[in-house]
Amino acid sequence: MLRHFPEPHFDYPHQKRDYQIVVFTFTCTAICLSLDGFSPQWLQWVLAFFGYLFLVLLLARESKLVRAQVFVALLFATVGEIFASPYMEGYIYRFGSVPPYVPAGHGMVYLTAIILARSGFFLRYARKIALFVVLIGGLWSAWGLLIAERSDQIGAILFIAYLLYLFKGKSPMVYLGAFFITSWLELVGTSAGTWAWAVVDPASGLTQGNPPSGVAAWYCLVDAVAMAGAVPVLNFFEQIKKRICRVEQIAN
């Protein structure tokens, strides 16, 4: 079951910048979501400005493929936010609408999952981290189903979906990273009151926690879309670049 995770016997290199980015994004997530839990709505635009600025700076030294993946993930996750929150009301933000910093936040979250996946620590201890995630996620789901005052049926279903991604999907290391950053932002955001999940999921009629325990499964879907869409996006922009060069050559 753990065979498709990296072997623990190799000396994987540690890149200091990767760990700095991870600490930075986890800290920024906590600060941003905590501030938005009690601040006036106009502050969301300030948070959005810094969110996009930080995202651009973080992507500056990444490869074109990673940039394309983050771009696709950002677009897909934002469309999903609009559908799931204002339209379906599966969860509601404090002011009703999706905050303007959320798209940039999704980009940073997905980039963090990628960076965790390639970090020396995660590669070295991938199998132990996977077992830890299964244990903690399983206990969280069981607690939501059997013990919590607020039943979490959706969380248990999502966690099963997450396990399928983790052990059968194409990017198991990214899914490991996604579990930590998405669980972190969900726990901080709901605790601060920045958003709240509906007691009953409007699509299925099943109960869900605040947040659902298996919420990381949604980012596995985001990764699948990002992986599939990155190369076509790169090819599209490459074609545009070639056409511009041809026009310039003709003009000269």
Side-chain angles (χ1 to χ4, degrees):
M1 188 170 64
L2 298 175
R3 292 178 181 176
H4 66 322
F5 289 97
E7 291 282 350
H9 309 298
F10 296 100
D11 186 18
Y12 297 99
H14 296 278
Q15 300 295 331
K16 185 178 179 180
R17 177 176 177 272
D18 286 347
Y19 299 115
Q20 291 174 337
I21 291 176
V22 169
V23 172
F24 178 77
T25 54
F26 269 78
T27 303
C28 284
T29 298
I31 294 173
C32 175
L33 298 181
S34 296
L35 284 175
D36 194 28
F38 65 88
S39 301
Q41 192 170 9
W42 61 262
L43 185 65
Q44 292 181 344
W45 291 99
V46 177
L47 296 174
F49 170 79
F50 284 104
Y52 284 105
L53 175 63
F54 293 156
L55 180 60
V56 170
L57 293 175
L58 292 176
L59 289 174
R61 294 174 59 184
E62 297 295 330
S63 67
K64 289 183 179 180
L65 181 60
V66 170
R67 293 176 191 173
Q69 289 174 342
V70 171
F71 176 73
V72 174
L74 184 154
L75 292 180
F76 180 72
T78 301
V79 172
E81 284 275 357
I82 295 171
F83 177 78
S85 184
Y87 181 71
M88 290 296 295
E89 296 186 344
Y91 54 92
I92 303 296
Y93 285 96
R94 192 161 63 99
F95 294 107
S97 59
V98 177
Y101 62 78
V102 165
H106 277 299
M108 292 178 66
V109 167
Y110 183 66
L111 177 61
T112 302
I114 291 177
I115 291 174
L116 282 171
R118 75 189 185 200
S119 67
F121 181 81
F122 261 57
L123 290 171
R124 178 67 176 82
Y125 299 103
R127 300 185 180 189
K128 291 182 179 180
I129 294 173
L131 291 176
F132 173 80
V133 166
V134 171
L135 176 62
I136 296 300
L139 290 174
W140 187 359
S141 296
W143 175 80
L145 276 177
L146 305 174
I147 301 176
E149 294 183 7
R150 176 170 167 168
S151 177
D152 187 17
Q153 296 169 332
I154 287 293
I157 294 173
L158 286 176
F159 184 63
I160 293 173
Y162 174 78
L163 292 179
L164 291 175
Y165 273 109
L166 185 63
F167 294 110
K168 298 295 183 180
K170 296 182 179 181
S171 307
M173 295 300 296
V174 175
Y175 306 148
L176 282 183
F179 178 86
F180 289 95
I181 184 62
T182 55
S183 297
W184 171 252
L185 73 89
E186 283 289 343
L187 291 171
V188 172
T190 53
S191 297
T194 305
W195 67 82
W197 289 78
V199 175
V200 176
D201 173 47
S204 65
L206 299 175
T207 59
Q208 56 184 6
N210 186 40
S213 58
V215 70
W218 291 122
Y219 254 85
C220 297
L221 175 60
V222 170
D223 174 72
V225 173
M227 294 286 287
V231 173
V233 166
L234 285 176
N235 291 337
F236 173 75
F237 283 107
E238 188 64 28
Q239 290 298 322
I240 291 179
K241 183 179 178 180
K242 289 181 179 179
R243 291 181 182 180
I244 293 175
C245 291
R246 289 173 185 172
V247 171
E248 291 177 347
Q249 290 175 353
I250 294 173
N252 294 331

